[in-house]
Amino acid sequence: MQFTDLNLSAALLKAIADKGYTTPSPIQLQAIPAVLGGRDLMAAAQTGTGKTAGFTLPLLQLLTDGAKVQPNQVRALILTPTRELAAQVAESVAVYGKYLPLKSAVVFGGVKINPQMMALRRGVDILVATPGRLLDLYQQNAVRFTQLEVLVLDEADRMLDMGFINDIKKVLALLPKKRQNLLFSATFSDDIRKLAKGLVNDPLEVSVSPANTTAERVEQVIYPVDKNRKAALVTKLINDNKWQQVLIFTKTKHMANKLSLHLENAGIKAAPIHGNKSQNARTKALADFKAGAVRALVATDIAARGLDIDQLPQVVNFELPNVAEDYVHRIGRTGRAGAAGHAVSLVCADETKELAGIERLIKQTLTRQVLAGFEPVNVLPESKLNTKPYKPKKPKMARPEHRDGQRPSQQRSAAKPSR
Ligand code: AMP
């Protein structure tokens, strides 16, 4: 099956051909005809499956016909959990829609609201938004939903994890009852099903899994090392292996800053990326990293999710995450699209519990390597694989660090003017 078999317009096929894509991915094969046919959709699909084009392409086609958008109105709304994801989705809308006369805009928190109000003045066919900022814009009369035809919730599970449920409910209450709904989520937990119940109408349910499991695609190694020797070890690994582009994860913003500084002092161009950084600083750090001006991007989990960096050759866990699933998210950053990936974790004796949780989740013990000169004084006990099924931790309502620079709605009353 080719894209040309999917009843997409010539303008869309041309944009797809410009990107060099010929064959639709499984999620695209299922989602595109369903959305074009006007059906609601519930799709279990992770990043990397081609889900963005799966909803963007049919959405663009549907909107090509129909009424002209009126001032401050929106015809399709795409909600995302983070500003990074919002920016990426908006980029896809622009790329696939480049031969169509449709208007689109993207709004998220952490940057000035005025330019966003201006962008919405004449109305837009497609608006990509994070929930908090969208509500602020609504309260300021900058956006109206009378003309809304389609709602897309992207990465709905992450939105719930981040405590956006109340904001989502508030947005849903503002939308016309008659509309098409597309719900994308990596997993369908009970909470997502509960949300879906009041949202989608006789949906087509689609589920796709990434091509390979992480463990098959990524070569994983741990270095047992003392905590106070980690910075020296990562510096040595970068230098000895001549890693040119490495994403390093830390548990805290403070450690991201500290390690970044340490690497800079050791002559390795580095930049921290976390929730306390302004949007401009994050965008610049990512652009510099992609361009090769920064060799090491030092990130916290939340800031790193949604970063659009494909096929990273090397990921380093400077500290293991508390939540084992985050380990899988982290190492999923390397070895995309069939390329072999490498993930290295520096593990000190204090992290024995976290390591056991990870090994239980991925159902394997990780290969250990000790580098001469870095033998730990505080010994990391040998792993004993716990074969009982891994029980996920309950997601917290509000994470300590919000990727979107937004707080959950219950704390939003004292919103800063910059939002
Ligand atoms: P996504 O899952 O939407 O984040 O997409 C993952 C990556 O796959 C993005 O870099 C897309 O540009 C790319 N992609 C999407 N659809 C296709 C396709 N049909 N063929 C090849 N690459 C694709």
Side-chain angles (χ1 to χ4, degrees), residues 34-241:
V35 179
L36 287 178
R39 270 194 86 168
D40 278 9
L41 184 73
M42 260 176 88
Q46 294 175 352
T47 305
T49 54
K51 66 179 167 78
T52 317
F55 63 78
T56 307
L57 291 168
L59 192 60
L60 286 163
Q61 174 130 337
L62 285 177
L63 295 173
T64 309
D65 307 317
K68 192 173 169 299
V69 71
Q70 299 299 311
N72 295 105
Q73 297 285 346
V74 171
R75 295 175 64 208
L77 173 64
I78 304 173
L79 285 182
T80 74
T82 65
R83 41 185 156 190
E84 282 85 4
L85 187 62
Q88 281 164 41
V89 171
E91 170 70 17
S92 292
V93 169
V95 165
Y96 298 125
K98 66 179 173 179
Y99 299 116
L100 292 171
L102 295 171
K103 284 186 284 185
S104 63
V106 56
V107 296
F108 43 70
V111 292
K112 282 194 185 123
I113 200 165
N114 275 10
Q116 298 179 349
M117 295 174 82
M118 296 292 287
L120 293 170
R121 251 179 38 189
R122 293 182 171 189
V124 292
D125 295 285
I126 300 184
L127 178 63
V128 189
T130 53
R133 177 53 63 95
L134 183 71
L135 287 169
D136 286 350
L137 285 160
Y138 182 81
Q139 274 152 15
Q140 304 208 28
N141 289 326
V143 62
R144 287 286 167 261
F145 301 109
T146 329
Q147 271 192 288
L148 189 106
E149 298 165 44
V150 190
L151 169 71
V152 182
L153 289 189
D154 194 13
E155 301 203 354
D157 49 345
R158 296 252 165 269
M159 286 202 245
L160 297 194
D161 280 1
M162 292 177 72
F164 283 138
I165 184 70
N166 288 331
D167 282 354
I168 293 173
K169 283 186 181 157
K170 280 186 201 159
V171 173
L172 292 180
L174 303 173
L175 307 182
K177 294 272 168 297
K178 195 173 162 305
R179 56 170 199 260
Q180 191 175 359
N181 300 287
L182 316 178
L183 179 72
F184 287 79
S185 190
T187 53
F188 276 99
S189 61
D190 290 349
D191 283 346
I192 294 286
R193 293 212 170 262
K194 218 162 91 191
L195 173 73
K197 230 174 159 183
L199 183 73
V200 290
N201 183 12
D202 181 28
L204 175 74
E205 289 200 28
V206 180
S207 174
V208 295
S209 45
N212 283 312
T213 64
T214 313
E216 286 164 19
R217 294 183 294 121
V218 182
E219 195 183 299
Q220 303 160 64
V221 172
I222 60 176
Y223 284 91
V225 62
D226 284 329
K227 194 186 260 174
N228 61 2
R229 299 281 285 141
K230 281 189 177 188
L233 177 56
V234 75
T235 309
K236 184 166 168 58
L237 287 172
I238 293 173
N239 285 331
D240 287 3
N241 296 296

Side-chain angles (χ1 to χ4, degrees), residues 3 21 23-25 28 46-52 310:
F3 274 111
Y21 306 157
T23 320
S25 70
Q28 293 163 0
Q46 294 175 352
T47 305
T49 54
K51 66 179 167 78
T52 317
D310 274 349

